[in-house]
Amino acid sequence: GTQGTRNPSGARLPWSAMCAFHPRLHSPCIEVLDHGREAVKRSDDGKCILVGNGYLEPDHSGNVGFAVRIKTVRNGSRGGLILGVTSQPLEECQIIPETLRQLSPSWFVDFEGTFWNSTTLQKSYPSELTTDDLVQLNVSPGGELSIGINGRLCIRHRLL
């Protein structure tokens, strides 16, 4: 997309649809490579947060989402992968927050089975990620967030 793209509601936005990770909006422990198409966790120092470079564009059914491929897994590393979405506009995210809860409203799922919806935590069920797994996050027009691994549905939560 180009600057000034319209989002699905028709409003003119200063950014375009997400196609990579944002080059600046990430924690110091993250390195963004290959023009934003790859990110590497370089250390276990602090929280590692990574933001996309635009809004999620709806498909023909109104679903929005993204996918990430796991290239390597660190055994014994603290923490793990957390995927999520926020409706907070990108222009309001000029610095990376200390915690994901500072992105509000937001919805996140980790792979130890915890779901956050800006205010509450709910336990789901855990999933182990391995090298070459494709992890997909999808949000339906009806407000359901789902996460699949290699095409298999693993986690599903209502956002509202």
Side-chain angles (χ1 to χ4, degrees):
T2 60
Q3 190 163 350
T5 299
R6 292 185 183 271
N7 76 359
S9 69
R12 189 164 285 295
L13 300 172
W15 65 89
S16 58
M18 184 176 129
C19 62
F21 297 118
H22 196 282
R24 289 182 297 98
L25 293 177
H26 58 83
S27 302
C29 63
I30 300 278
E31 182 178 2
V32 175
L33 307 166
D34 192 21
H35 304 287
R37 291 186 292 267
E38 185 175 343
V40 177
K41 182 179 178 184
R42 294 292 184 201
S43 73
D44 282 335
D45 298 336
K47 306 261 190 263
C48 293
I49 299 173
L50 184 61
V51 176
N53 67 348
Y55 65 87
L56 294 175
E57 191 166 46
D59 65 15
H60 64 281
S61 300
N63 296 306
V64 295
F66 60 91
V68 294
R69 173 134 349 245
I70 306 300
K71 293 184 84 172
T72 58
V73 176
R74 286 188 195 182
N75 291 328
S77 180
R78 290 182 300 140
L81 181 65
I82 297 174
L83 295 177
V85 293
T86 181
S87 59
Q88 185 174 2
L90 188 59
E91 75 251 8
E92 293 178 13
C93 299
Q94 294 306 309
I95 59 168
I96 207 68
E98 292 278 330
T99 69
L100 295 173
R101 291 179 190 206
Q102 290 174 296
L103 292 173
S104 184
S106 59
W107 303 269
F108 296 93
V109 177
D110 73 16
F111 284 85
E112 293 176 356
T114 304
F115 173 77
W116 291 268
N117 69 357
S118 296
T119 57
T120 62
L121 299 173
Q122 299 172 344
K123 286 304 256 180
S124 182
Y125 57 88
S127 175
E128 298 269 333
L129 294 176
T130 61
T131 300
D132 290 326
D133 279 347
L134 181 66
V135 182
Q136 307 100 343
L137 179 144
N138 184 71
V139 179
S140 73
E144 183 175 87
L145 182 142
S146 60
I147 300 223
I149 301 173
N150 301 322
R152 181 179 57 86
L153 179 65
C154 296
I155 298 170
R156 179 183 288 160
H157 281 283
R158 300 276 316 145
L159 298 182
L160 307 172

